[in-house]
Amino acid sequence: MSVHMLVGDSFLTTESLVLMRRSIAPPDLLEANSHYMSSAEITLGQLKSMCDTLPFLAQNRLVVVEGLLETFETQTARRGRKRRYSTGNLPGWDGLESYFERMPPTTILVFKDKTVKSTNALFVRLKQFAQIENLPTPKGSELIRWVSDRIKLKGSKISVAGLRLLVQHIGSNLWALDTELEK
């Protein structure tokens, strides 16, 4: 059983997923062995069906569900009351943990989400079964270090003043920063 939770910045979780894909199988084999679903499009039954499917000419099947944990965040209802989910009340997703015990070992299941609270009902229930990769958006000096490392990775150079100016104008939007660095 291989269950992963990628939680945090959209750019960083996407990049982590790309690295995971590369380690699973060559691109031509992975296409036939990958499923991507958003939380709005999937039910527990559909998820089980995708995970139970054996890989085709590859060792693993990758199943990615995006945004499921977020749907179980505390939400404020129209009348100002907060809607809370308890770990015992996850509409439509009860039984997910027990499924992990029989999920084929060839399946790699990834839950990809924005930042969720540690009290999130689904997160609490799944964290004992999953490898969690928390990838928050870098801020301040961490952001400057991230951009500097990214520039080196791309084989480029930038002055310290240029680096600070870039971060000052774009901020912590890693997608926009990466696009600017590509230019």
Side-chain angles (χ1 to χ4, degrees), residues 78-161:
R78 290 182 189 163
R79 297 186 183 183
R81 283 189 256 145
K82 287 190 174 184
R83 181 175 184 176
R84 297 185 191 271
Y85 295 98
S86 69
T87 55
N89 177 25
L90 298 176
W93 292 92
D94 289 321
L96 180 58
E97 311 94 80
S98 61
Y99 170 71
F100 292 153
E101 295 172 7
R102 67 172 192 81
M103 188 172 82
T106 55
T107 297
I108 298 171
L109 175 58
V110 178
F111 295 99
K112 182 177 175 281
D113 283 84
K114 295 177 185 169
T115 303
V116 294
K117 296 176 186 153
S118 61
T119 57
N120 177 295
L122 187 57
F123 179 81
V124 169
R125 282 175 67 173
L126 298 184
K127 69 181 179 181
Q128 63 185 326
F129 301 99
Q131 296 174 20
I132 302 167
E133 199 171 338
N134 190 13
L135 303 162
T137 304
K139 306 235 184 281
S141 61
E142 287 181 19
L143 180 60
I144 289 172
R145 191 175 314 112
W146 183 88
V147 174
S148 179
D149 292 345
R150 199 82 183 166
I151 289 169
K152 289 175 189 171
L153 182 71
K154 294 178 182 294
S156 297
K157 294 181 183 179
I158 190 171
S159 69
V160 174

Coordinates of all heavy atoms in Angstrom, one line a residue, residues 78-161:
R78 N -24.2 29.9 5.3 CA -24.8 31.2 4.9 C -25.2 32.0 6.2 O -25.2 33.2 6.2 CB -26.0 31.0 4.0 CG -25.6 30.5 2.6 CD -26.8 30.4 1.8 NE -26.4 29.8 0.5 CZ -27.3 29.2 -0.3 NH1 -28.5 29.2 0.0 NH2 -26.9 28.7 -1.4
R79 N -25.8 31.3 7.1 CA -26.3 32.0 8.3 C -25.3 32.3 9.4 O -25.6 32.5 10.5 CB -27.5 31.3 8.9 CG -28.6 31.2 7.8 CD -29.8 30.6 8.4 NE -30.8 30.5 7.3 CZ -32.0 30.0 7.5 NH1 -32.4 29.6 8.6 NH2 -32.8 30.0 6.5
G80 N -24.0 32.1 9.0 CA -22.9 32.4 10.0 C -22.5 31.2 10.9 O -21.6 31.4 11.6
R81 N -23.2 30.1 10.8 CA -22.8 29.0 11.6 C -21.7 28.2 10.8 O -21.8 28.1 9.6 CB -24.0 28.0 11.8 CG -25.0 28.5 12.8 CD -26.0 27.5 13.1 NE -27.3 27.9 12.5 CZ -28.1 27.1 11.9 NH1 -28.0 25.8 12.0 NH2 -29.2 27.5 11.4
K82 N -20.8 27.7 11.6 CA -19.8 26.9 11.0 C -20.2 25.4 10.9 O -20.8 24.9 11.7 CB -18.5 26.9 11.9 CG -17.8 28.3 11.8 CD -16.5 28.2 12.5 CE -15.8 29.5 12.3 NZ -14.5 29.5 12.8
R83 N -19.9 24.9 9.7 CA -20.1 23.5 9.4 C -18.9 22.7 9.8 O -17.8 23.0 9.2 CB -20.5 23.3 8.0 CG -20.8 21.9 7.7 CD -21.2 21.7 6.2 NE -21.6 20.3 6.0 CZ -22.1 19.9 4.9 NH1 -22.3 20.7 3.9 NH2 -22.4 18.6 4.8
R84 N -19.0 21.9 10.8 CA -17.8 21.1 11.2 C -18.0 19.6 10.8 O -19.1 19.1 10.9 CB -17.6 21.2 12.7 CG -17.4 22.6 13.2 CD -17.1 22.6 14.7 NE -17.1 24.0 15.2 CZ -16.0 24.7 15.2 NH1 -14.9 24.3 14.8 NH2 -16.0 25.9 15.7
Y85 N -16.9 19.0 10.5 CA -16.9 17.6 10.2 C -16.1 17.0 11.3 O -15.0 17.4 11.7 CB -16.2 17.3 8.9 CG -16.9 17.8 7.7 CD1 -16.5 19.0 7.1 CD2 -18.0 17.2 7.1 CE1 -17.2 19.5 6.0 CE2 -18.7 17.7 6.0 CZ -18.3 18.8 5.5 OH -18.9 19.3 4.4
S86 N -16.6 15.9 11.8 CA -15.9 15.1 12.9 C -15.3 13.9 12.2 O -15.7 13.5 11.1 CB -16.8 14.7 14.0 OG -17.7 13.7 13.5
T87 N -14.3 13.3 12.8 CA -13.6 12.2 12.2 C -14.6 11.0 12.1 O -14.4 10.1 11.3 CB -12.4 11.7 13.0 OG1 -12.8 11.5 14.3 CG2 -11.3 12.8 12.9
G88 N -15.7 11.1 12.8 CA -16.7 10.0 12.7 C -17.8 10.3 11.7 O -18.7 9.5 11.4
N89 N -17.8 11.5 11.1 CA -18.8 11.9 10.1 C -18.2 12.5 8.9 O -17.9 13.7 8.8 CB -19.7 13.0 10.8 CG -20.7 13.6 9.9 OD1 -21.2 12.9 9.0 ND2 -21.2 14.8 10.2
L90 N -17.9 11.6 7.9 CA -17.3 12.1 6.6 C -18.3 11.6 5.5 O -18.1 10.5 5.0 CB -15.9 11.5 6.4 CG -14.9 12.0 7.5 CD1 -13.6 11.3 7.2 CD2 -14.7 13.5 7.4
P91 N -19.3 12.3 5.2 CA -20.3 11.9 4.3 C -19.7 11.4 3.0 O -19.0 12.1 2.3 CB -21.1 13.2 4.0 CG -20.8 14.1 5.2 CD -19.5 13.7 5.7
G92 N -20.1 10.2 2.7 CA -19.6 9.5 1.4 C -18.2 8.9 1.4 O -17.9 8.3 0.5
W93 N -17.5 9.1 2.5 CA -16.1 8.6 2.5 C -15.8 7.7 3.7 O -14.6 7.4 4.0 CB -15.1 9.8 2.5 CG -15.2 10.5 1.2 CD1 -16.0 11.5 0.8 CD2 -14.5 10.1 0.0 NE1 -15.8 11.8 -0.5 CE2 -15.0 10.9 -1.1 CE3 -13.6 9.1 -0.3 CZ2 -14.5 10.8 -2.4 CZ3 -13.1 9.0 -1.6 CH2 -13.6 9.8 -2.6
D94 N -16.8 7.3 4.4 CA -16.6 6.3 5.5 C -16.2 5.0 4.9 O -16.7 4.6 3.9 CB -17.9 6.2 6.3 CG -18.2 7.4 7.2 OD1 -17.3 8.0 7.7 OD2 -19.4 7.7 7.3
G95 N -15.2 4.4 5.4 CA -14.7 3.1 4.9 C -13.4 3.3 4.1 O -12.9 2.3 3.6
L96 N -13.0 4.5 3.9 CA -11.8 4.7 3.1 C -10.6 4.1 3.7 O -9.8 3.4 3.1 CB -11.5 6.2 2.8 CG -10.3 6.6 2.0 CD1 -10.3 5.9 0.6 CD2 -10.2 8.1 1.9
E97 N -10.4 4.3 5.0 CA -9.3 3.7 5.7 C -9.3 2.2 5.7 O -8.2 1.6 5.5 CB -9.2 4.1 7.2 CG -9.4 5.6 7.4 CD -10.8 5.9 7.7 OE1 -11.2 5.8 8.9 OE2 -11.5 6.4 6.8
S98 N -10.4 1.6 5.9 CA -10.5 0.1 5.8 C -10.1 -0.4 4.4 O -9.6 -1.5 4.3 CB -11.8 -0.4 6.3 OG -12.9 0.0 5.5
Y99 N -10.4 0.4 3.4 CA -10.1 0.0 2.0 C -8.6 -0.1 1.9 O -8.1 -1.0 1.1 CB -10.7 1.0 1.0 CG -10.1 0.7 -0.4 CD1 -10.5 -0.5 -1.1 CD2 -9.2 1.6 -1.0 CE1 -9.9 -0.7 -2.3 CE2 -8.7 1.3 -2.2 CZ -9.0 0.1 -2.9 OH -8.5 -0.1 -4.1
F100 N -7.8 0.8 2.5 CA -6.4 0.8 2.4 C -5.7 -0.6 2.7 O -4.7 -0.9 2.2 CB -5.7 1.8 3.3 CG -6.0 3.3 2.8 CD1 -6.0 4.3 3.7 CD2 -6.3 3.6 1.5 CE1 -6.3 5.6 3.4 CE2 -6.6 4.9 1.1 CZ -6.6 5.9 2.0
E101 N -6.4 -1.3 3.6 CA -5.9 -2.6 4.0 C -5.9 -3.6 2.9 O -5.1 -4.6 2.9 CB -6.6 -3.2 5.2 CG -6.5 -2.3 6.5 CD -7.4 -2.7 7.6 OE1 -8.1 -3.8 7.4 OE2 -7.4 -2.0 8.6
R102 N -6.8 -3.4 1.9 CA -6.9 -4.4 0.8 C -6.5 -3.8 -0.6 O -6.6 -4.4 -1.6 CB -8.3 -5.0 0.7 CG -9.4 -4.1 0.4 CD -10.7 -4.9 0.2 NE -11.7 -4.1 -0.4 CZ -11.8 -3.8 -1.7 NH1 -11.0 -4.3 -2.6 NH2 -12.8 -3.0 -2.1
M103 N -6.1 -2.5 -0.6 CA -5.7 -1.8 -1.8 C -4.5 -2.6 -2.4 O -3.6 -2.9 -1.7 CB -5.4 -0.4 -1.5 CG -5.2 0.4 -2.8 SD -5.0 2.2 -2.5 CE -3.2 2.3 -2.0
P104 N -4.5 -2.8 -3.7 CA -3.4 -3.5 -4.3 C -2.1 -2.8 -4.1 O -2.0 -1.6 -4.1 CB -3.8 -3.5 -5.8 CG -5.2 -3.3 -5.9 CD -5.6 -2.5 -4.7
P105 N -1.0 -3.6 -3.8 CA 0.3 -3.0 -3.6 C 0.9 -2.3 -4.8 O 1.8 -1.5 -4.7 CB 1.1 -4.1 -3.2 CG 0.5 -5.3 -3.7 CD -1.0 -5.0 -3.7
T106 N 0.3 -2.5 -6.0 CA 0.7 -1.9 -7.2 C 0.2 -0.5 -7.4 O 0.6 0.3 -8.3 CB 0.3 -2.7 -8.4 OG1 -1.1 -2.9 -8.4 CG2 1.0 -4.0 -8.4
T107 N -0.8 -0.1 -6.5 CA -1.4 1.2 -6.7 C -0.7 2.3 -5.8 O -0.4 2.0 -4.6 CB -2.9 1.2 -6.2 OG1 -3.6 0.3 -7.1 CG2 -3.5 2.5 -6.3
I108 N -0.4 3.4 -6.4 CA 0.1 4.5 -5.6 C -1.0 5.6 -5.7 O -1.4 6.1 -6.7 CB 1.4 5.1 -6.3 CG1 2.5 4.0 -6.2 CG2 1.9 6.4 -5.6 CD1 3.7 4.3 -7.0
L109 N -1.5 5.9 -4.5 CA -2.7 6.8 -4.3 C -2.1 8.1 -3.7 O -1.5 8.1 -2.7 CB -3.7 6.2 -3.4 CG -4.9 7.1 -3.1 CD1 -5.7 7.5 -4.3 CD2 -5.9 6.3 -2.1
V110 N -2.4 9.2 -4.4 CA -2.0 10.5 -4.0 C -3.1 11.4 -3.8 O -4.0 11.6 -4.7 CB -1.0 11.1 -5.0 CG1 -0.5 12.5 -4.6 CG2 0.2 10.2 -5.3
F111 N -3.2 12.0 -2.6 CA -4.2 13.1 -2.3 C -3.4 14.4 -2.4 O -2.4 14.6 -1.6 CB -4.8 12.9 -0.9 CG -5.6 11.7 -0.8 CD1 -5.1 10.6 -0.2 CD2 -6.9 11.7 -1.3 CE1 -5.9 9.4 -0.1 CE2 -7.7 10.5 -1.2 CZ -7.2 9.4 -0.6
K112 N -3.8 15.3 -3.3 CA -3.1 16.6 -3.6 C -4.0 17.7 -3.2 O -5.1 17.8 -3.7 CB -2.7 16.6 -5.0 CG -1.9 17.9 -5.4 CD -1.5 17.8 -6.9 CE -0.8 19.0 -7.4 NZ -1.7 20.1 -7.7
D113 N -3.6 18.5 -2.2 CA -4.4 19.5 -1.7 C -3.7 20.8 -1.4 O -2.5 20.8 -1.2 CB -5.1 19.1 -0.4 CG -6.3 18.2 -0.7 OD1 -6.1 16.9 -0.8 OD2 -7.4 18.6 -0.7
K114 N -4.4 21.9 -1.3 CA -3.8 23.1 -0.8 C -3.6 22.9 0.7 O -3.9 21.8 1.3 CB -4.8 24.3 -1.0 CG -5.0 24.6 -2.4 CD -6.0 25.7 -2.6 CE -6.3 26.0 -4.1 NZ -7.4 26.9 -4.3
T115 N -3.1 23.9 1.4 CA -2.9 23.8 2.8 C -4.2 23.5 3.6 O -5.2 24.1 3.3 CB -2.3 25.1 3.4 OG1 -1.1 25.3 2.7 CG2 -2.0 25.0 4.9
V116 N -4.2 22.4 4.4 CA -5.3 22.1 5.2 C -4.9 22.1 6.7 O -3.7 22.0 7.0 CB -5.9 20.7 4.9 CG1 -6.5 20.7 3.5 CG2 -4.8 19.6 5.0
K117 N -5.8 22.4 7.6 CA -5.6 22.4 9.0 C -5.3 21.0 9.5 O -5.8 20.1 9.0 CB -6.7 23.1 9.7 CG -7.0 24.5 9.3 CD -8.2 25.0 10.0 CE -8.5 26.4 9.5 NZ -9.9 26.7 9.6
S118 N -4.5 21.0 10.6 CA -4.2 19.7 11.2 C -5.4 19.1 11.8 O -5.4 17.9 12.2 CB -3.0 19.9 12.2 OG -3.4 20.7 13.2
T119 N -6.4 19.9 12.0 CA -7.7 19.4 12.6 C -8.7 18.9 11.6 O -9.8 18.5 11.9 CB -8.3 20.5 13.5 OG1 -8.6 21.6 12.7 CG2 -7.5 20.8 14.7
N120 N -8.3 19.0 10.3 CA -9.2 18.6 9.2 C -9.6 17.1 9.5 O -8.7 16.3 9.7 CB -8.5 18.7 7.9 CG -9.3 18.3 6.7 OD1 -9.5 17.1 6.6 ND2 -9.6 19.2 5.8
A121 N -10.9 16.8 9.4 CA -11.4 15.5 9.8 C -10.8 14.4 8.9 O -10.4 13.3 9.4 CB -12.9 15.5 9.7
L122 N -10.8 14.6 7.6 CA -10.2 13.6 6.8 C -8.7 13.4 6.9 O -8.2 12.3 7.0 CB -10.6 13.8 5.3 CG -10.2 12.7 4.3 CD1 -10.9 11.4 4.7 CD2 -10.6 13.1 2.9
F123 N -8.0 14.5 7.1 CA -6.6 14.5 7.3 C -6.3 13.7 8.6 O -5.4 12.9 8.6 CB -6.0 15.9 7.5 CG -4.6 16.0 7.7 CD1 -3.7 15.9 6.7 CD2 -4.1 16.2 9.0 CE1 -2.3 16.0 6.9 CE2 -2.7 16.3 9.2 CZ -1.8 16.1 8.2
V124 N -7.0 13.9 9.6 CA -6.8 13.2 10.9 C -7.0 11.7 10.7 O -6.2 10.9 11.2 CB -7.8 13.8 12.0 CG1 -7.8 12.9 13.2 CG2 -7.4 15.2 12.4
R125 N -8.0 11.3 9.9 CA -8.2 9.9 9.7 C -7.2 9.3 8.8 O -6.9 8.1 9.0 CB -9.6 9.7 9.2 CG -10.7 9.8 10.3 CD -12.1 9.7 9.8 NE -12.5 8.5 9.2 CZ -13.7 8.2 8.9 NH1 -14.7 9.1 9.0 NH2 -14.0 7.0 8.4
L126 N -6.7 10.0 7.9 CA -5.8 9.4 6.9 C -4.3 9.5 7.2 O -3.5 8.7 6.7 CB -6.0 10.0 5.5 CG -7.4 9.9 4.9 CD1 -7.4 10.5 3.5 CD2 -7.8 8.4 4.9
K127 N -3.9 10.4 8.1 CA -2.5 10.6 8.3 C -1.7 9.4 8.8 O -0.5 9.3 8.6 CB -2.3 11.8 9.3 CG -2.7 11.6 10.7 CD -2.4 12.9 11.5 CE -2.8 12.7 12.9 NZ -2.6 14.0 13.7
Q128 N -2.4 8.5 9.5 CA -1.7 7.3 10.0 C -1.4 6.3 8.8 O -0.6 5.4 9.0 CB -2.5 6.6 11.1 CG -3.9 6.1 10.6 CD -4.7 5.5 11.7 OE1 -4.1 5.0 12.6 NE2 -6.0 5.7 11.7
F129 N -2.1 6.5 7.7 CA -1.9 5.6 6.6 C -1.0 6.2 5.5 O -0.6 5.4 4.5 CB -3.3 5.2 5.9 CG -4.2 4.6 6.9 CD1 -5.2 5.3 7.5 CD2 -4.1 3.2 7.2 CE1 -6.1 4.7 8.4 CE2 -5.0 2.6 8.0 CZ -6.0 3.3 8.7
A130 N -0.8 7.4 5.5 CA -0.1 8.1 4.4 C 1.2 8.7 4.7 O 1.5 9.0 5.9 CB -1.1 9.3 3.9
Q131 N 2.0 8.8 3.7 CA 3.2 9.6 3.8 C 2.9 11.0 3.5 O 2.3 11.3 2.4 CB 4.3 9.1 2.8 CG 4.7 7.6 3.0 CD 5.6 7.1 1.9 OE1 6.2 7.9 1.2 NE2 5.7 5.8 1.8
I132 N 3.1 11.9 4.4 CA 2.7 13.3 4.3 C 3.9 14.2 3.8 O 4.9 14.1 4.4 CB 2.1 13.8 5.6 CG1 0.9 12.9 6.0 CG2 1.7 15.3 5.4 CD1 0.5 13.2 7.4
E133 N 3.6 14.9 2.8 CA 4.6 15.9 2.3 C 4.0 17.3 2.4 O 3.1 17.6 1.7 CB 5.1 15.6 0.9 CG 6.4 16.2 0.5 CD 6.9 15.7 -0.8 OE1 6.4 14.6 -1.3 OE2 7.7 16.5 -1.4
N134 N 4.4 18.0 3.5 CA 3.9 19.4 3.7 C 4.8 20.4 3.0 O 6.0 20.5 3.3 CB 3.8 19.7 5.2 CG 3.1 20.9 5.5 OD1 2.4 21.5 4.7 ND2 3.2 21.4 6.7
L135 N 4.2 21.1 2.0 CA 5.0 22.0 1.1 C 4.4 23.4 1.2 O 3.7 23.8 0.2 CB 5.0 21.4 -0.3 CG 5.5 20.0 -0.4 CD1 5.1 19.4 -1.7 CD2 7.0 20.1 -0.3
P136 N 4.6 24.1 2.3 CA 4.0 25.5 2.3 C 4.8 26.4 1.4 O 5.9 26.2 1.0 CB 4.3 25.9 3.8 CG 5.5 25.1 4.2 CD 5.4 23.8 3.4
T137 N 4.1 27.5 1.0 CA 4.7 28.6 0.2 C 5.8 29.2 1.0 O 5.6 29.7 2.1 CB 3.6 29.6 -0.2 OG1 2.5 28.9 -0.8 CG2 4.2 30.7 -1.1
P138 N 7.0 29.3 0.4 CA 8.1 30.0 1.2 C 7.8 31.5 1.3 O 7.2 32.1 0.4 CB 9.3 29.7 0.3 CG 8.8 29.2 -1.0 CD 7.4 28.8 -0.8
K139 N 8.3 32.0 2.4 CA 8.1 33.5 2.7 C 9.4 34.1 3.1 O 10.3 33.4 3.6 CB 7.0 33.6 3.8 CG 5.7 32.9 3.6 CD 4.6 33.9 3.6 CE 3.2 33.2 3.5 NZ 2.8 32.9 2.2
G140 N 9.5 35.4 2.9 CA 10.7 36.1 3.4 C 12.0 35.6 2.8 O 12.2 35.4 1.6
S141 N 12.9 35.3 3.8 CA 14.2 34.8 3.3 C 14.2 33.4 2.7 O 15.0 33.1 1.8 CB 15.2 34.8 4.5 OG 14.8 33.9 5.5
E142 N 13.2 32.6 3.1 CA 13.0 31.3 2.5 C 12.6 31.5 1.0 O 13.1 30.7 0.2 CB 11.9 30.5 3.2 CG 12.3 30.0 4.5 CD 11.2 29.2 5.2 OE1 10.3 28.7 4.5 OE2 11.3 29.0 6.4
L143 N 11.8 32.5 0.7 CA 11.4 32.7 -0.7 C 12.6 33.2 -1.5 O 12.8 32.7 -2.6 CB 10.3 33.8 -0.7 CG 9.7 34.1 -2.1 CD1 9.2 32.9 -2.8 CD2 8.7 35.2 -2.0
I144 N 13.4 34.0 -1.0 CA 14.6 34.5 -1.7 C 15.5 33.3 -1.9 O 16.1 33.2 -3.0 CB 15.3 35.6 -0.9 CG1 14.4 36.9 -1.0 CG2 16.7 35.9 -1.5 CD1 14.9 38.0 -0.1
R145 N 15.7 32.4 -0.9 CA 16.5 31.3 -1.1 C 15.9 30.3 -2.2 O 16.7 29.8 -3.0 CB 16.7 30.5 0.2 CG 17.7 29.4 0.2 CD 17.9 28.8 1.6 NE 18.0 29.7 2.7 CZ 17.1 29.9 3.6 NH1 16.0 29.1 3.7 NH2 17.3 30.8 4.6
W146 N 14.6 30.2 -2.2 CA 14.0 29.3 -3.2 C 14.2 29.9 -4.6 O 14.6 29.1 -5.5 CB 12.5 29.2 -2.9 CG 11.7 28.3 -3.9 CD1 11.6 27.0 -3.7 CD2 11.1 28.7 -5.1 NE1 10.9 26.5 -4.8 CE2 10.6 27.5 -5.7 CE3 11.0 29.8 -5.8 CZ2 9.9 27.5 -6.9 CZ3 10.3 29.8 -7.0 CH2 9.8 28.6 -7.5
V147 N 14.0 31.2 -4.8 CA 14.3 31.8 -6.1 C 15.7 31.6 -6.5 O 16.0 31.2 -7.6 CB 13.8 33.2 -6.1 CG1 14.2 33.9 -7.4 CG2 12.3 33.4 -5.9
S148 N 16.6 31.9 -5.6 CA 18.1 31.7 -5.8 C 18.4 30.3 -6.3 O 19.1 30.1 -7.2 CB 18.9 32.1 -4.6 OG 20.2 32.0 -4.8
D149 N 17.9 29.3 -5.5 CA 18.1 27.9 -5.9 C 17.5 27.6 -7.2 O 18.1 26.8 -8.0 CB 17.5 27.0 -4.8 CG 18.3 27.1 -3.5 OD1 19.4 27.6 -3.5 OD2 17.7 26.6 -2.5
R150 N 16.4 28.1 -7.5 CA 15.7 27.9 -8.8 C 16.5 28.4 -10.0 O 16.6 27.8 -11.0 CB 14.3 28.5 -8.7 CG 13.3 28.0 -9.7 CD 12.7 26.8 -9.2 NE 11.9 26.2 -10.2 CZ 11.4 25.0 -10.3 NH1 11.7 24.2 -9.3 NH2 10.6 24.6 -11.2
I151 N 17.1 29.6 -9.8 CA 17.9 30.2 -10.8 C 19.1 29.4 -11.1 O 19.5 29.1 -12.2 CB 18.3 31.7 -10.3 CG1 17.1 32.6 -10.4 CG2 19.5 32.2 -11.2 CD1 17.4 33.9 -9.7
K152 N 19.8 28.8 -10.0 CA 20.9 28.0 -10.2 C 20.5 26.7 -10.9 O 21.2 26.2 -11.8 CB 21.5 27.6 -8.9 CG 22.2 28.8 -8.2 CD 22.7 28.5 -6.8 CE 23.3 29.7 -6.1 NZ 23.5 29.4 -4.7
L153 N 19.3 26.1 -10.6 CA 18.8 24.9 -11.2 C 18.6 25.1 -12.7 O 18.9 24.2 -13.5 CB 17.5 24.5 -10.5 CG 16.9 23.2 -11.0 CD1 17.7 22.0 -10.6 CD2 15.4 23.1 -10.5
K154 N 18.2 26.3 -13.1 CA 18.0 26.6 -14.5 C 19.3 27.0 -15.2 O 19.3 27.3 -16.4 CB 17.0 27.7 -14.6 CG 15.6 27.3 -14.2 CD 14.6 28.4 -14.3 CE 13.2 28.0 -13.7 NZ 12.6 27.0 -14.5
G155 N 20.4 27.1 -14.5 CA 21.7 27.4 -15.0 C 21.9 28.9 -15.3 O 22.7 29.3 -16.2
S156 N 21.2 29.7 -14.6 CA 21.3 31.2 -14.8 C 21.9 31.9 -13.6 O 22.2 31.2 -12.6 CB 19.9 31.8 -15.1 OG 19.3 31.2 -16.2
K157 N 22.1 33.2 -13.7 CA 22.6 34.0 -12.7 C 21.7 35.2 -12.6 O 21.1 35.7 -13.6 CB 24.0 34.4 -12.9 CG 25.0 33.2 -12.9 CD 26.4 33.6 -13.1 CE 27.3 32.4 -13.2 NZ 28.7 32.8 -13.4
I158 N 21.7 35.8 -11.4 CA 21.0 37.1 -11.1 C 21.7 37.8 -10.0 O 22.3 37.2 -9.1 CB 19.5 36.9 -10.8 CG1 18.7 38.2 -10.8 CG2 19.4 36.1 -9.5 CD1 17.2 38.0 -10.7
S159 N 21.7 39.1 -10.1 CA 22.3 39.9 -9.0 C 21.4 39.9 -7.8 O 20.2 39.6 -7.9 CB 22.6 41.3 -9.4 OG 21.3 42.0 -9.5
V160 N 22.0 40.1 -6.6 CA 21.2 40.2 -5.4 C 20.1 41.2 -5.5 O 19.0 41.0 -5.1 CB 22.1 40.4 -4.1 CG1 21.3 40.6 -2.9 CG2 23.1 39.3 -4.0
A161 N 20.5 42.4 -6.0 CA 19.5 43.4 -6.2 C 18.3 43.0 -7.1 O 17.2 43.2 -6.9 CB 20.1 44.7 -6.7

